[in-house]
Amino acid sequence: MRFNSRNAGNPTAAREELIELIAFYANSEHSMFRDFADLLERYQDPIVNSFVMVEKMGNGKIYNSRLSNGPIESINRKVKDLKRLGRGFRNFEHFRNRFPEQPPS
């Protein structure tokens, strides 16, 4: 938790500290921690990219926030839900009518 809050908005510092953590866990006598070091090494770039800050707008204000794939995952979930709810419908008109009108987001 401290790693996360300490490096928020500073991907360079996050990378440096992550490299130290990888070295620490890689030198452990326990295989579980060495495996964890391999995992951190493999996903080092995505982990560091999660510390990049971007400007966002919400509630009429501009603010900085970390990058997230949450919005894309939300869209993917909606598509999957539509497909799941459409099972058994052979007629597209019936399938489409099953869903209420959605306001634009």
Side-chain angles (χ1 to χ4, degrees):
M1 186 67 156
R2 285 180 261 155
F3 174 80
N4 195 20
S5 60
R6 191 171 38 244
N7 295 302
N10 192 345
T12 304
R15 183 175 300 277
E16 291 170 2
E17 189 171 347
L18 185 58
I19 290 169
E20 292 173 13
L21 283 172
I22 291 169
F24 176 76
Y25 287 118
N27 292 323
S28 173
E29 63 184 46
H30 302 287
S31 65
M32 177 179 66
F33 292 123
R34 291 191 304 270
D35 292 345
F36 182 60
D38 291 339
L39 179 79
L40 291 176
E41 181 74 38
R42 197 167 45 246
Y43 292 103
Q44 184 175 355
D45 287 337
I47 292 169
V48 171
N49 286 341
S50 74
F51 288 90
V52 173
M53 300 292 275
V54 294
E55 281 189 354
K56 291 186 177 182
M57 185 167 181
N59 296 332
K61 298 178 183 177
I62 296 176
Y63 62 96
N64 288 329
S65 178
R66 289 171 55 178
L67 285 176
S68 171
N69 66 340
I72 297 298
E73 291 300 329
S74 174
I75 292 170
N76 290 341
R77 174 63 189 248
K78 287 178 185 173
V79 170
K80 287 182 182 183
D81 287 346
L82 287 173
K83 285 177 64 179
R84 190 176 306 108
L85 289 170
R87 289 196 177 107
F89 286 95
R90 294 183 180 157
N91 182 318
F92 178 75
E93 292 295 321
H94 291 144
F95 175 68
R96 187 188 69 198
N97 290 337
R98 176 152 174 116
F99 302 102
E101 185 71 29
Q102 296 292 322
S105 36

